[in-house]
Amino acid sequence: MIRLLNVLAIVGLIGSAVYAYSIKYDTLYQAGQVSKLKTALHKERQAIAVLRAEWQLLTRPDRLQAAVERHLSLEPIGDGHLARLSDLPNRPDRGDEIGRLLASTATPTGTPKDKPSSARDEPRTTGSVTSRTVSTRPPTASR
């Protein structure tokens, strides 16, 4: 019995040692990956800094002004370029666009000719349907 316990203890000790070493090497591998990623991140940040410096160089006002004078035939803005609000043409009256769209898509109030009368009388919803008459006229005051 004691030998069996000794063997089990030795097997447990070997198993825990294997597990500890596997955790150690996995940790070292992950630390190496983190180090590689930090190096790549540092290189990308340096590249971004270089691109920002190049952008600032390309967008200098004196460089842009020289390029404009060389390639574009622009003239300074003077009083002749400005206009009064009264000089602008009046805006065309567009009317009631929503009303026009509703009128064009409205269906006639009659019954459709292609459906049989039994299909027209059936309610379009399930359950009990009660018919109500709703008046769209304003109430009149009686004297």
Side-chain angles (χ1 to χ4, degrees):
M1 179 78 175
I2 293 180
R3 286 187 179 225
L4 180 64
L5 290 176
N6 287 340
V7 169
L8 288 176
I10 290 172
V11 169
L13 179 67
I14 291 172
S16 63
V18 168
Y19 179 72
Y21 280 115
S22 69
I23 294 293
K24 174 187 174 187
Y25 289 117
D26 187 42
T27 304
L28 289 175
Y29 173 76
Q30 296 297 333
Q33 293 297 318
V34 168
S35 173
K36 287 179 185 178
L37 289 174
K38 281 184 179 181
T39 303
L41 180 65
H42 181 68
K43 287 180 182 179
E44 290 296 324
R45 286 187 176 160
Q46 284 180 341
I48 289 171
V50 168
L51 290 173
R52 283 186 180 153
E54 287 177 0
W55 180 254
Q56 288 178 355
L57 180 70
L58 292 174
T59 59
R60 283 188 334 233
D62 58 336
R63 182 188 172 281
L64 289 177
Q65 184 64 35
V68 164
E69 289 172 357
R70 186 178 29 208
H71 298 292
L72 300 176
S73 59
L74 300 178
E75 56 187 54
I77 296 178
D79 293 337
H81 291 96
L82 302 177
R84 291 185 298 248
L85 189 58
S86 61
D87 295 340
L88 295 175
N90 289 335
R91 190 177 198 181
D93 185 27
R94 293 169 52 179
D96 186 15
E97 291 182 25
I98 295 175
R100 242 184 296 124
L101 286 173
L102 286 174
S104 68
T105 59
T107 58
T109 57
T111 59
K113 295 178 183 176
D114 57 337
K115 288 188 178 180
S117 63
S118 63
R120 281 184 265 130
D121 296 337
E122 293 179 8
R124 299 180 81 182
T125 59
T126 58
S128 64
V129 177
T130 59
S131 60
R132 285 187 240 167
T133 305
V134 178
S135 174
T136 58
R137 294 182 186 168
T140 57
S142 48
R143 294 182 188 202

